[in-house]
Amino acid sequence: MSAITHEQSLEQFHEQLAYVLANYHSHGKSISNYSNVVIGGLGGSGIGGRIARLAFLQQSPVPVEEFSEYGLPAYADEKTLVILCSYSGNTEETLSMFAQSKSKGCDMICVAAAGKLKDLAAEHGLAYYSVALGFQPRMTLGFGLGTLVMIMGELLGGDSTALLQEVEHMFLHSSAIIEKAQVMYEAFKPTIANKFVVVCDLPYEAVAIRFCQQIQENAKGEAFVSVLPEANHNMIESYYGKHDTNFLFLNSGTNARVNARFDFLHGVLSNLGNVIYQYPVDDASIKTQFEVIHATDWVSVWASNDKGVNNMQVDIIMQLKGHLEGLK
């Protein structure tokens, strides 16, 4: 296991963005050459793709999808750009997507620290971006998402350097983010062992998934995502009493009708005595999403410490990998 603790990863998070800025090189590709883009990855290496997809949703003239699977969609072909991300470079699902991408004639970009994916990128002369070694995969979002922001920005005919520099600067002076994290954590501390439900709008869906992943892996707790407005057509009917749940609200504030739905749901839950915390955001910019991710990452680490669990180890995941290896 990595010797770099989660606390160290968060305290030095700006260094990941500095690494991306120092090591990024042009891929020379244009969105006009593709009919669709597929970003593939799992877990800590896949969540960056989910966030990037939503961040560029209103800018991309072609569909951008994220897949955390063994295979590609049927529509993938020689007009598809596949961007594969794997920190270890050995994630079996991602390597399976690589093989399918080659067989379908897709163009590819690879992001990895080491392993087979890095070797395959070199073997086939593909665009490749490096990631520094020594981290827990789930704590490398700065590398992965930062690289994807640069890749997508260039792909769409722009340059995301100034944006990433702004985010890096924010993390060089991150005390305000940590203060927000502490306020959020204090709201949940008395019930920290309860499950979490993150209620969000579409722009924050991937950020919400990220927090749930961190609660699951770091704090060994249950966590789920509920997206508005869809959840108002089903989930809301389960709230006729108090639940053993910590509710986190993430709302970009970009849709007045969705805002009204958040207000209504907050009233229903609070009147029943439920534990609710609404993170103070009013946009869905990349910079703000990085802030929310950082704050919620801290909450997951503090929750693991309060619960007395080892946030550096993922024993059941490792058992699963051993089980799958034995089936080969």
Side-chain angles (χ1 to χ4, degrees), residues 3-276:
I4 302 175
T5 67
H6 294 337
E7 289 87 348
Q8 290 170 329
S9 297
L10 291 170
E11 289 164 358
Q12 300 163 9
F13 191 77
H14 63 278
E15 295 180 3
Q16 296 189 29
L17 301 168
Y19 181 97
V20 173
L21 288 164
N23 289 278
Y24 186 79
H25 51 88
S26 174
H27 52 62
K29 302 180 189 298
S30 170
I31 198 71
S32 62
N33 294 325
Y34 305 102
S35 58
N36 55 80
V37 177
V38 172
I39 306 175
L42 281 293
S45 299
I47 191 61
R50 293 176 184 269
I51 297 167
R53 170 188 171 270
L54 290 172
F56 290 95
L57 190 65
Q58 301 303 321
Q59 299 177 43
S60 177
V62 304
V64 178
E65 296 293 341
E66 193 279 338
F67 279 80
S68 300
E69 258 294 344
Y70 283 93
L72 297 176
Y75 58 73
D77 58 21
E78 66 279 355
K79 294 288 287 181
T80 298
L81 173 63
V82 178
I83 306 171
L84 295 177
C85 305
S86 170
Y87 182 65
S88 69
N90 295 318
T91 308
E92 65 174 56
E93 298 95 328
T94 309
L95 293 175
S96 177
M97 282 189 276
F98 184 98
Q100 285 204 17
S101 297
K102 289 301 296 181
S103 68
K104 286 173 171 285
C106 305
D107 194 7
M108 273 189 282
I109 294 175
C110 298
V111 182
K116 294 179 182 178
L117 186 61
K118 179 180 179 180
D119 294 341
L120 286 167
E123 178 184 340
H124 295 280
L126 301 173
Y128 164 77
Y129 296 92
S130 65
V131 178
L133 288 166
F135 293 81
Q136 288 278 352
R138 61 189 174 278
M139 301 307 290
T140 62
L141 189 66
F143 295 121
L145 178 55
T147 300
L148 287 171
V149 167
M150 294 295 289
I151 290 171
M152 291 298 298
E154 182 185 350
L155 191 65
L156 293 167
D159 183 351
S160 298
T161 300
L163 168 60
L164 216 59
Q165 287 173 335
E166 185 179 359
V167 176
E168 179 197 8
H169 183 267
M170 176 178 69
F171 285 116
L172 278 166
H173 309 278
S174 61
S175 58
I177 301 175
I178 295 173
E179 287 176 7
K180 289 182 180 180
Q182 290 170 335
V183 171
M184 175 169 43
Y185 180 65
E186 288 301 319
F188 293 132
K189 187 173 182 178
T191 55
I192 201 64
N194 289 351
K195 74 174 181 291
F196 280 80
V197 169
V198 187
V199 182
C200 62
D201 62 351
L202 180 62
Y204 275 95
E205 181 180 16
V207 174
I209 292 171
R210 162 67 177 191
F211 177 54
C212 290
Q213 291 174 339
Q214 294 293 77
I215 287 293
Q216 291 156 358
E217 287 195 75
N218 291 340
K220 319 304 179 189
E222 287 190 304
F224 307 94
V225 177
S226 184
V227 185
L228 299 186
E230 170 61 26
N232 279 169
H233 294 263
N234 35 66
M235 176 205 72
I236 198 170
E237 271 299 304
S238 65
Y239 296 136
Y240 284 97
K242 185 176 181 180
H243 286 239
D244 293 329
T245 301
N246 295 314
F247 290 95
L248 172 62
F249 280 24
L250 295 177
N251 178 22
S252 68
T254 54
N255 185 297
R257 300 296 291 176
V258 173
N259 294 344
R261 291 173 180 276
F262 269 98
D263 291 342
F264 181 85
L265 182 58
H266 191 285
V268 169
L269 292 173
S270 61
N271 288 340
L272 294 168
N274 288 287
V275 178
I276 312 163

